[in-house]
Amino acid sequence: MRTTMGWQAAGPARALRRAPLERRDLRPDDLAVRVDYCGVCHTDLHAVDGRDGAADALLVPGHEFTGVVTATGAEVTRFAAGDPVAVGNIVDSCGACAMCRGGQENFCHAFPTLTYGGTDRHDGSATLGAFSREYVVRDRFAYPLPAGLDPAAAAPLLCAGITVWEPLRALGVGPRTRVAVAGLGGLGHLAVKLAVALGAETTVVSRSPDKAEDARRLGAHGFVVSCDPERMAAARDRFDVVIDTISAPHDLGPYLGLVAMDGTLSHLGHLGPVTVETTDLLVGRKKLSSAGSGGRPATAAMLDFCAEHGITADIELLPSAQVNEALDRLRRNEVHYRFVLDMSDLD
Ligand SMILES: NC(=O)c1ccc[n+]([C@@H]2O[C@H](COP(=O)([O-])OP(=O)(O)OC[C@H]3O[C@@H](n4cnc5c(N)ncnc54)[C@H](OP(=O)(O)O)[C@@H]3O)[C@@H](O)[C@H]2O)c1
Ligand SMILES: [Zn+2]
Ligand SMILES: [Zn+2]
């Protein structure tokens, strides 16, 4: 085993604390990656806040990171020590099912191995995330980081970015599409940048009127305050695609109201049961969809697109020692628009 340092929740305490953790010895198709930058996703916050305390297993969050390869397994040919890489929220899949064969490893019928909180398919160990200085990952699930992308600001592309990219592409978003992005946070601000770069007419739907200026700066053409019923009514049936990234449970009715006839609400944010009034779908033949993460081909395509268009996240870079402050501010919606942790203070 290899020992590294990381930020972990253990026992009843909610705050993460710095402690050593173990990584597996490299298998023939593994890479060891020095984690330089890891984004703080709202999913990390759900994971920390959702713990049952002492009964829960060790939690090390972090599933969107960039770094440098430090060692490779005997069979690795795509990467060498020194290569800059990016890794997201999936680190393995069965490789044999129809989804994996079709390049949708994120939908693997045997369930993909999550970067943390998952179970390693080979040794059954619990996966520990990238709020740590080293990560060991199967080479298929590491991506070359394109030259020209800032490695700190690119880290959030690997969860927030790909999570919105796949549905934008799958729903055919392009020059004539009218897109609304609900919730202007980590996922939302990247959805705006990507939709705008794809040529879509893009509107932000937010409960925070003070984000209007940021929305414009990000390239959005319109801004609707979600808690203003008049503005919401005026935006009725206006969007071919609504990308919902809201992090809390909420009524889908008002957002389905924004969807144009035969359009789609892609519900990506808070996962869990939802109640839908069928007439909200019936009137206008509207579709309700969801998505999560991305397959390997889409992830590589998203990184290429971002390199070509100069797209990265708007980040606030913090030393990893401030991880608990970052989580607290994310809880209070005080982020513009992604915290990224600099892991070099773990040396
Ligand atoms: N499907 C997937 O695979 C996947 C992947 C990653 C993350 N997620 C989930 O996506 C969600 C968003 O993640 P994120 O990292 O983008 O979070 P975030 O940065 O905290 O952004 C969430 C945004 O949602 C809006 N919001 C928050 N609470 C709200 C409430 N009570 N009512 C209405 N709007 C509210 C806020 O935007 P405004 O201020 O503009 O209203 C906030 O900025 C999380 O639930 C996360 O777990 C899913
Ligand atoms: Zn995430
Ligand atoms: Zn599979």
Side-chain angles (χ1 to χ4, degrees):
M1 297 294 258
R2 315 160 66 94
T3 302
T4 186
M5 289 301 284
W7 293 97
Q8 43 190 265
R14 205 160 74 152
L16 302 185
R17 62 184 178 86
R18 183 182 161 132
L21 59 100
E22 302 285 314
R23 296 294 183 198
R24 63 176 181 260
D25 291 324
L26 298 198
R27 298 173 188 142
D29 58 354
D30 270 343
L31 308 176
V33 178
R34 184 192 73 214
V35 181
D36 290 326
Y37 302 105
C38 186
V40 182
C41 178
H42 208 109
T43 301
D44 301 329
L45 190 56
H46 290 317
V48 169
D49 289 350
R51 294 177 78 252
D52 282 336
D56 275 6
L58 180 66
L59 169 70
V60 178
H63 64 192
E64 47 179 41
F65 65 96
T66 57
V68 172
V69 175
T70 56
T72 57
E75 290 168 10
V76 173
T77 54
R78 280 175 62 230
F79 296 100
D83 287 352
V85 288
V87 179
N89 52 16
I90 292 176
V91 288
D92 207 354
S93 73
C94 85
C97 74
M99 287 294 184
C100 287
R101 289 200 312 275
Q104 293 284 177
E105 295 83 355
N106 48 330
F107 305 140
C108 173
H109 290 156
F111 204 73
T113 306
L114 304 178
T115 306
Y116 68 85
T119 305
D120 182 84
R121 331 181 80 77
H122 302 281
D123 63 20
S125 63
T127 57
L128 303 174
F131 287 1
S132 64
R133 190 52 161 155
E134 180 174 76
Y135 199 94
V136 173
V137 59
R138 192 177 173 198
D139 62 346
R140 287 169 62 79
F141 289 86
Y143 303 87
L145 180 68
L149 287 184
D150 175 73
L157 298 176
L158 274 296
C159 175
I162 184 61
T163 296
V164 297
W165 170 259
E166 251 203 23
L168 286 170
R169 297 296 286 156
L171 294 168
V173 167
R176 277 167 303 282
T177 322
R178 298 161 300 167
V179 172
V181 175
L184 193 61
L187 269 61
H189 91 291
L190 283 171
V192 171
K193 290 190 186 196
L194 291 168
V196 168
L198 286 165
E201 185 194 309
T202 306
T203 294
V204 169
V205 182
S206 169
R207 61 181 175 160
S208 311
D210 57 331
K211 290 184 182 175
E213 191 48 48
D214 285 348
R216 250 189 306 278
R217 189 179 44 78
L218 292 164
H221 310 96
F223 188 85
V224 175
V225 181
S226 56
C227 33
D228 177 343
E230 266 176 43
R231 302 268 306 274
M232 288 290 276
R236 181 180 166 170
D237 290 1
R238 269 197 31 210
F239 302 100
D240 306 302
V241 171
V242 176
I243 300 285
D244 178 347
T245 73
I246 295 168
S247 56
H250 57 284
D251 181 8
L252 297 189
Y255 298 94
L256 282 168
L258 304 176
V259 177
M261 186 160 107
D262 291 322
T264 302
L265 172 67
S266 183
H267 182 60
L268 308 174
H270 191 269
L271 303 179
V274 292
T275 307
V276 178
E277 188 55 67
T278 45
T279 50
D280 287 341
L281 295 169
L282 182 156
V283 178
R285 266 191 322 252
K286 299 177 183 184
K287 297 186 269 274
L288 175 60
S289 178
S290 185
S293 187
R296 293 170 62 242
T299 305
M302 180 269 311
L303 285 170
D304 286 346
F305 182 87
C306 288
E308 191 184 324
H309 292 266
I311 294 176
T312 53
D314 288 12
I315 64 163
E316 187 175 333
L317 186 62
L318 296 172
S320 81
Q322 279 174 252
V323 59
N324 289 309
E325 182 188 325
L327 290 168
D328 266 342
R329 288 180 54 200
L330 191 55
R331 263 183 210 106
R332 299 196 298 267
N333 198 20
E334 282 175 22
V335 50
H336 305 275
Y337 280 87
R338 198 64 148 185
F339 292 116
V340 171
L341 303 175
D342 177 345
M343 297 298 169
S344 60
D345 62 351
L346 287 174
D347 283 341

